[in-house]
Amino acid sequence: MAEAESQTLRTDTLPPEAISEELAPTIAELGLEDNCRELVEQGYTVVRNVSSPEFNQRLREAIIRTAPGDDPTQPRGSNMAMRLDPVIAEAVLNPALMAMAEFTVGRGHLISQVATSVLPGGSGSVGLHADQNWLPAPFPEHNMITTMCWATDEYSQANGCTHVVPKSHLLRRHPTEEEMETREGIVAIECPAGSVAIWDGSIWHTGWP
């Protein structure tokens, strides 16, 4: 009996693309089935209209108000921002985002960082990378981290949105220096204000100037 139970414990992990029976009703109720599929197949997805325009405006104002610095020509923002204003905490705990987090990194996931960014025109960019940068290749088959970016303004290439290399997460490794330079296959994640871009910890991505 003990041996049979032990064998079950070793084999009851769902494959990365599966939605658990417990989570499935919530995913269906929130209309997130396509987002789950896109995240698995492409390595990123966009959840649109996660809240009302009024909430999005409140969130935008809170981000600007709590970001230190007053030079409009310099990027600014905050880390550990969930404690800075209740509306930021409310955004983080949005039911759709919590459901997507559980789908991609599992039940009992931890919120490791909440950061805000206020980027003026002319801001620079970071290099192409995968967020699972503390893990050696090959990355685990199951995703270890997800990043969710709430766009309080229109998310566009002109506005410096995140760019990704679709399906690069399937390679389960970091980009090479040559791949970082050429950025072959890179596409912009463009979406209206009030959307949340979500990407897998293994996908190659970069900000845009």
Side-chain angles (χ1 to χ4, degrees):
M1 181 64 176
E3 182 177 352
E5 288 179 350
S6 177
Q7 183 67 24
T8 299
L9 290 175
R10 286 198 294 270
T11 59
D12 67 354
T13 300
L14 295 174
E17 71 276 7
I19 302 173
S20 70
E21 292 182 2
E22 296 85 356
L23 183 60
T26 301
I27 293 292
E29 179 183 354
L30 295 171
L32 298 172
E33 294 98 332
D34 287 345
N35 295 107
C36 293
R37 177 181 52 78
E38 289 173 355
L39 190 57
V40 169
E41 295 178 357
Q42 300 296 322
Y44 73 102
T45 189
V46 175
V47 181
R48 291 170 168 79
N49 301 314
V50 289
S51 195
S52 68
E54 292 77 16
F55 180 86
N56 187 71
Q57 183 61 27
R58 286 172 52 214
L59 178 60
R60 185 181 189 278
E61 292 170 354
I63 289 170
I64 293 172
R65 185 176 63 253
T66 59
D70 55 10
D71 185 344
T73 68
Q74 295 298 316
R76 57 197 181 97
S78 299
N79 292 321
M80 308 303 290
M82 195 170 177
R83 59 183 171 80
L84 298 180
D85 191 289
V87 72
I88 297 176
E90 188 177 346
V92 172
L93 298 176
N94 178 280
L97 305 190
M98 290 293 96
M100 289 300 299
E102 180 172 337
F103 165 69
T104 186
V105 294
R107 180 183 295 177
H109 55 271
L110 302 177
I111 299 170
S112 64
Q113 177 59 281
V114 177
T116 66
S117 297
V118 181
L119 302 179
S123 297
S125 171
V126 296
L128 193 69
H129 65 284
D131 284 338
Q132 297 192 139
N133 54 12
W134 71 92
L135 290 174
F139 297 150
E141 182 178 358
H142 286 80
N143 189 25
M144 297 288 101
I145 182 174
T146 186
T147 301
M148 302 186 177
C149 183
W150 189 306
T152 59
D153 291 304
E154 180 184 7
Y155 215 45
S156 65
Q157 181 161 305
N159 280 351
C161 69
T162 297
H163 285 51
V164 300
V165 180
K167 299 186 178 182
S168 57
H169 66 302
L170 300 177
L171 299 173
R172 295 169 56 195
R173 62 173 174 82
H174 301 285
T176 65
E177 289 188 9
E178 180 179 354
E179 288 162 336
M180 293 171 66
E181 182 68 25
T182 62
R183 301 185 178 190
E184 183 178 353
I186 200 168
V187 300
I189 304 178
E190 297 190 300
C191 55
S195 304
V196 176
I198 303 173
W199 55 87
D200 185 290
S202 297
I203 197 169
W204 304 349
H205 65 284
T206 179
W208 202 255

